Amino acid sequence: MIEPVLSVRDLKVDFVTRHSVLNVLDGVSFDIARGETLGIVGESGAGKTMAGLAVIGLIDPPGRMSGGEVHLCGERIDALPEWMLRPLRGKRIGMIFQDPLASLNPYYRIGDQLVTTIRTHLNVSAREARERAIALLADVGIAAPQERARAFPHQFSGGMRQRVALALALCAEPELLIADEPTTALDVSVQAQIMELLQRLCRERGMAIMLIAHDLAVIAGYADRIAVFYAGRVVEVGPVRAIVQMPRHPYTQGLMEAIPPLHGDVARLARIPGSVPRLGEIPTGCPFNPRCPKVFSICRDIRPDLRGESERLTACHLYDARFARPGEPHGQ
């Protein structure tokens, strides 16, 4: 069996308050292979971004990683001290944050930021770093890269800033790229360009990509596999085609039904009633049970585990022969 680039096992993240301990992530597990894109999808508050920050070790107090393990190419990294973890960020793990303007320093020119990052992680001269920076800007689709390298972040559009953030994340040729909502607030044409660029670079460089988004339609178009998050837990994992064509978990089914159709007319879009539960108010049993149209008694008492074959896992009692209601096609 080929060792995955990223392996996350039973990841738990808590936030400690004066009155309680809030579980942000509760037993999250997934793998990403070399050259594979894993789409992480779910509503706001599902724990998607927190999973990415936990992988790269950027959970700030009062947050803490309270359990589980994170392995990068077989090496456990979650237990490393900060002075050993910091060199991994940027060199072996790149990250694109939700707001590209917030991740760029407004006081420095784009080229200088790229050169500084390159020389921090790679043993190259200033001239080599400058040449590499300009080549990276060209790779991510920025026209006239030599001229644009002298510009400041505010002189770029949102789509161009996102491309610069991507160049920064790729400058040391990382083995893993975490892309957190890389197309937020971009128009549809620019969104497609950024996603196609990510897909191409993944194939060419053999990177593993953890693609975080709330839009299942975007994930379905560019990922190889999908992990559906809900209330800090993974409720379904599988290949894109299987998840899109035959979603199993009622939550995944609801997400798919909420995607507007490309053809035809509908009087009202489908929706999932209610909202993601607040931290500290996650119900017992299946966390989705108050919103689930297929809920039955056991759902309110016992939390379902991820079950199924190796490539297709679902955390739902409907697919557990011990609990499924008569007539339900469990295990399909």
Side-chain angles (χ1 to χ4, degrees):
M1 182 178 177
I2 300 175
E3 186 174 68
V5 172
L6 178 67
S7 180
V8 176
R9 288 289 172 270
D10 199 27
L11 180 63
K12 297 181 180 180
V13 173
D14 297 334
F15 272 67
V16 182
T17 70
R18 290 182 178 182
H19 306 291
S20 62
V21 176
L22 304 177
N23 303 120
V24 182
L25 295 177
D26 190 3
V28 168
S29 299
F30 57 86
D31 294 330
I32 310 179
R34 189 170 301 280
E36 179 186 42
T37 298
L38 175 68
I40 307 292
V41 69
E43 294 170 279
S44 297
K48 309 182 300 298
T49 295
M50 196 58 62
L53 294 175
V55 166
I56 204 170
L58 290 179
I59 303 294
D60 293 325
R64 65 182 184 185
M65 182 175 163
S66 58
E69 299 181 0
V70 178
H71 294 260
L72 181 67
C73 297
E75 175 190 0
R76 184 173 179 183
I77 63 172
D78 61 277
L80 294 177
E82 178 62 23
W83 67 271
M84 292 182 67
L85 185 59
R86 185 170 183 178
L88 296 181
R89 302 186 191 118
K91 185 172 184 179
R92 298 184 64 190
I93 305 176
M95 185 159 187
I96 305 173
F97 295 92
Q98 288 188 23
D99 183 359
L101 188 57
S103 62
L104 299 173
N105 193 319
Y107 293 99
Y108 292 94
R109 299 179 192 275
I110 292 299
D112 292 337
Q113 296 188 51
L114 280 165
V115 168
T116 300
T117 304
I118 290 169
R119 298 197 71 192
T120 297
H121 296 293
L122 301 177
N123 185 22
V124 296
S125 67
R127 180 177 179 178
E128 290 173 319
R130 174 67 59 175
E131 291 174 351
R132 188 182 184 91
I134 291 172
L136 276 167
L137 291 177
D139 283 346
V140 298
I142 293 180
Q146 287 185 318
E147 179 182 344
R148 299 299 279 162
R150 295 191 291 270
F152 290 92
H154 72 272
Q155 295 175 296
F156 285 75
S157 66
M160 290 297 105
R161 284 197 293 264
Q162 195 64 282
R163 292 172 189 265
V164 173
L166 178 55
L168 276 169
L170 296 174
C171 63
E173 297 189 355
E175 297 153 279
L176 170 68
L177 177 66
I178 302 173
D180 186 7
E181 302 278 8
T183 58
T184 297
L186 300 180
D187 62 62
V188 175
S189 61
V190 176
Q191 181 183 88
Q193 292 170 10
I194 294 294
M195 294 307 302
E196 288 167 5
L197 178 61
L198 274 175
Q199 198 173 46
R200 175 175 64 83
L201 292 172
C202 177
R203 290 194 302 265
E204 292 177 354
R205 302 186 180 209
M207 288 187 306
I209 297 182
M210 180 178 174
L211 177 60
I212 301 169
H214 64 272
D215 190 338
L216 186 52
V218 171
I219 291 288
Y222 297 97
D224 300 300
R225 289 188 304 123
I226 295 176
V228 182
F229 275 50
Y230 185 79
R233 300 164 185 176
V234 178
V235 298
E236 187 165 2
V237 183
V240 165
R241 185 181 294 258
I243 295 289
V244 170
Q245 294 183 352
M246 192 179 295
R248 290 179 176 175
H249 197 283
Y251 178 60
T252 312
Q253 294 169 2
L255 291 177
M256 288 301 304
E257 291 169 359
I259 298 175
L262 292 176
H263 306 287
D265 188 22
V266 292
R268 183 188 295 266
L269 293 176
R271 69 183 184 90
I272 303 174
S275 59
V276 176
R278 292 183 177 182
L279 296 176
E281 298 179 1
I282 296 175
T284 57
C286 174
F288 188 60
N289 82 75
R291 308 173 68 189
C292 183
K294 300 180 180 180
V295 64
F296 57 110
S297 59
I298 200 71
C299 302
R300 299 185 179 92
D301 300 322
I302 299 177
R303 172 183 168 178
D305 296 321
L306 276 172
R307 294 176 175 273
E309 59 275 19
S310 59
E311 287 193 349
R312 191 74 190 275
L313 304 173
T314 310
C316 181
H317 292 313
L318 292 173
Y319 300 91
D320 190 333
R322 298 173 300 169
F323 304 123
R325 292 179 294 189
E328 290 288 357
H330 61 78
Q332 294 186 3

